[in-house]
């Protein structure tokens, strides 16, 4: 396992880069892309988050369980560190969007402020414009509300069965909702996509990954010492995409019910192998300074990308749209080039995320060790 002197697993930043790249590819090439790679990217983030928070919580439990005030120390440290990492940049973004009156932030401020965007979307079976992508951050925060209790109070010998039941119930929820609605369409799919119960198989697999590393490390090393399980899991994901295309409706059992579970299994092996350390070309890619850097700023890349430009919701007066108009005055042949527009948006998004990381997120993150 390749780590920094602080214990940071180096190749996981490269995994973050892969996940955010998949999200950006889907959003930027929405006109031509037909494979749900963005959904896979989000799922990889969920599995990775489940692994990292479970790993932190399991180690903290080992240190604090049975000690005086142990649960208070365990919970407060986790919540303080998560709050410092997630809240400041999120709420600053919401504040700026409110000031500049970016729709629908003023109308839906309560949902945004309370990390309830996914609940709003599922309840109303609708999206939220340029705020659409914040549903996944809401899911993460909702998971953070109960995972610490789950990890601390469930005995370590029973945690794996509990995670297994959680994952199966998540799959069953999507299965039931799909077959309970004979005319299943995009509004129904929103429920099975953004609801927290529909995402828990990803977090359960992440939790299992952490449990294996903490309590069954010999088995963990044996399971993830080779890359062929990653290739096999990816091949199954590819076959699932081909199967999905054989249905008349886009919203079929493959896409609605099985895609997240299969993507989670792929993420499980992808991440586990990265913890052990890929070799060869994959190691060179994941440990490349560019991959590591973009992985480090992936939270900002995800948070800001829909505001930098959204194909469906960026109006004629949006700054990026105005930049495009200016460019096309001097280079009209570039107009309509999806690749060129994607390059411009990616450049702008990286610039915004990098500025946020160096001048806002990184200095605030330094407070984590001071206060927790």
């Amino acid at each position: 396992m390749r780590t920094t002197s602080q214990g940071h697993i180096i190749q996981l930043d490269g995994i973050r880069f892969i996940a955010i790249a998949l999200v950006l590819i889907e959003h930027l090439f929405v006109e031509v892309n037909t494979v749900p790679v963005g959904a896979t990217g989000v799922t990889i983030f969920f599995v990775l988050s489940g692994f990292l928070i479970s790993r932190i919580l399991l180690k903290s439990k080992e240190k604090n369980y049975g000690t005086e005030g142990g649960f208070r120390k365990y919970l407060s440290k986790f919540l303080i560190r998560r709050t410092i990492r997630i809240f400041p940049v999120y709420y600053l973004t919401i504040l700026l969007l409110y000031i500049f009156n970016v729709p629908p932030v003023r109308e839906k401020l309560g949902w945004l402020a309370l990390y309830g965007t996914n609940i709003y979307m599922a309840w109303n079976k609708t999206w939220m414009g340029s705020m659409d992508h914040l549903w996944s951050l809401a899911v993460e925060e909702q998971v953070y509300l109960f995972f610490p209790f789950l990890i601390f109070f469930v005995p370590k010998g029973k945690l794996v069965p509990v995670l297994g039941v959680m994952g199966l119930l998540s799959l069953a929820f999507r299965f039931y909702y799909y077959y309970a609605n004979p005319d299943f369409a995009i509004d129904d799919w929103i429920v099975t996509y953004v609801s927290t119960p529909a995402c828990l198989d990803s977090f359960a697999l992440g939790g299992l990954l952490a449990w294996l590393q903490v309590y069954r490390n010999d088995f963990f090393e044996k399971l993830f010492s080779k890359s062929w399980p990653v290739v096999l899991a990816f091949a199954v994901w590819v076959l699932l995409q081909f199967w999905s295309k054989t249905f008349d409706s886009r919203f079929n059992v493959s896409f609605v019910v099985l895609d997240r579970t299969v993507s989670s299994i792929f993420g499980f092996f992808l991440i586990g192998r990265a913890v052990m350390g890929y070799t060869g070309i994959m190691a060179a890619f994941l440990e490349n300074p560019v991959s590591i850097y973009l992985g480090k700023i992936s939270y900002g890349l995800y948070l800001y990308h829909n505001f930098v430009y959204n194909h469906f919701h960026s109006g004629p007066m949006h700054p990026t749209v105005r930049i495009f108009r200016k460019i096309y005055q001097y280079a009209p042949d570039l107009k309509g080039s999806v690749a060129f527009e994607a390059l411009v948006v990616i450049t702008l998004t990286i610039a915004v995320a990098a500025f946020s990381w160096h001048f806002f997120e990184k200095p605030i993150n330094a407070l984590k060790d001071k206060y927790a």
Side-chain angles (χ1 to χ4, degrees):
M1 184 170 70
R2 284 185 36 75
T3 63
T4 65
S5 57
Q6 292 79 31
H8 183 78
I9 303 171
I10 295 172
Q11 292 190 3
L12 291 188
D13 281 326
I15 299 296
R16 289 186 180 93
F17 169 56
I18 290 174
I20 189 60
L22 292 174
V23 173
L24 291 176
I25 287 170
E26 172 142 329
H27 288 181
L28 293 174
F29 295 94
V30 66
E31 291 184 281
V32 295
N33 178 57
T34 60
V35 181
V37 293
T40 301
V42 171
T43 297
I44 292 172
F45 271 128
F46 284 165
V47 178
L48 181 58
S49 181
F51 166 66
L52 292 174
I53 64 172
S54 297
R55 185 170 177 260
I56 291 168
L57 291 170
L58 287 169
K59 291 185 175 182
S60 181
K61 176 182 177 179
E62 291 296 306
K63 184 184 298 183
N64 293 291
Y65 193 84
T67 65
E68 184 177 353
F71 178 68
R72 180 185 60 79
K73 295 175 185 177
Y74 159 92
L75 185 61
S76 61
K77 181 176 181 178
F78 174 77
L79 293 179
I80 290 171
R81 292 181 70 87
R82 287 290 84 197
T83 296
I84 290 173
R85 177 66 188 105
I86 302 298
F87 283 9
V89 66
Y90 176 82
Y91 285 115
L92 175 63
T93 301
I94 299 303
L95 175 63
L96 292 174
L97 295 171
Y98 183 90
I99 291 171
F100 290 103
N101 194 21
V102 176
V105 66
R106 292 188 179 181
E107 296 84 355
K108 304 296 185 291
L109 183 61
W111 295 100
L112 291 163
L114 295 174
Y115 281 93
T117 50
N118 68 321
I119 298 173
Y120 175 88
M121 292 176 186
W123 184 263
N124 294 283
K125 296 186 176 183
T126 186
W127 295 109
M128 289 181 66
S130 58
M131 311 292 157
D132 287 347
H133 64 303
L134 299 182
W135 73 267
S136 62
L137 301 183
V139 169
E140 295 253 4
E141 290 303 315
Q142 289 157 25
V143 169
Y144 293 163
L145 292 178
F146 73 88
F147 238 63
F149 296 90
L150 181 75
I151 297 293
F152 194 85
F153 291 110
V154 175
K156 68 179 182 181
K158 296 181 179 180
L159 184 59
V160 171
V162 170
L163 290 172
V165 170
M166 188 173 80
L168 289 174
L169 288 176
S170 183
L171 179 63
F173 170 78
R174 297 195 302 272
F175 184 87
Y176 170 79
Y177 201 89
Y178 176 75
Y179 282 102
N181 294 275
D183 299 320
F184 195 94
I186 187 170
D187 55 339
D188 300 301
W189 172 69
I190 292 172
V191 179
T192 62
Y193 186 59
V194 307
S195 302
T196 295
C199 302
L200 292 181
D201 44 351
S202 303
F203 290 94
L205 279 167
L208 173 61
L209 196 62
W211 188 91
L212 289 172
Q213 193 200 19
V214 173
Y215 295 122
R216 298 289 187 273
N217 193 54
D218 289 345
F219 178 77
F220 182 94
E221 291 181 356
K222 185 180 296 184
L223 181 63
F224 299 110
S225 62
K226 304 293 184 181
S227 296
W228 67 262
V230 184
V231 177
L232 178 60
F234 178 70
V236 173
W237 179 87
V238 170
L239 290 174
L240 189 75
Q241 306 314 311
F242 278 108
W243 183 41
S244 181
K245 300 304 179 186
T246 65
F247 292 86
D248 293 331
S249 171
R250 176 192 174 195
F251 303 100
N252 53 71
V253 65
S254 170
F255 178 61
V256 175
V257 180
L258 300 176
D259 187 79
R260 178 164 281 142
T261 298
V262 172
S263 296
S264 297
I265 293 170
F266 169 56
F268 175 84
F269 286 104
L270 180 75
I271 294 163
R273 183 71 179 108
V275 173
M276 287 300 299
Y278 286 91
T279 57
I281 295 175
M282 191 65 173
F285 174 79
L286 293 177
E287 297 182 22
N288 183 281
V290 175
S291 298
I292 290 174
Y293 179 74
L294 293 176
K296 283 184 183 298
I297 66 170
S298 59
Y299 178 44
L301 291 172
Y302 186 83
L303 180 61
Y304 302 129
H305 80 276
N306 241 15
F307 307 127
V308 172
Y309 179 73
N310 182 288
H311 176 77
F312 298 106
H313 304 294
S314 295
M317 298 310 294
H318 189 282
T320 303
V321 176
R322 295 168 71 179
I323 289 173
F324 282 135
R325 282 205 302 268
K326 182 66 69 175
I327 292 173
Y328 297 149
Q329 287 179 5
Y330 298 98
D333 291 343
L334 292 174
K335 190 172 183 179
S337 171
V338 176
F340 173 74
E341 290 189 359
L343 178 62
V344 172
V345 174
I346 289 172
T347 302
L348 292 173
T349 304
I350 292 174
V352 172
F355 180 87
S356 172
W357 170 254
H358 290 286
F359 295 100
F360 190 72
E361 296 171 66
K362 190 175 181 181
I364 291 177
N365 280 348
L367 299 176
K368 289 193 296 186
D369 293 330
K370 180 178 180 180
Y371 293 105

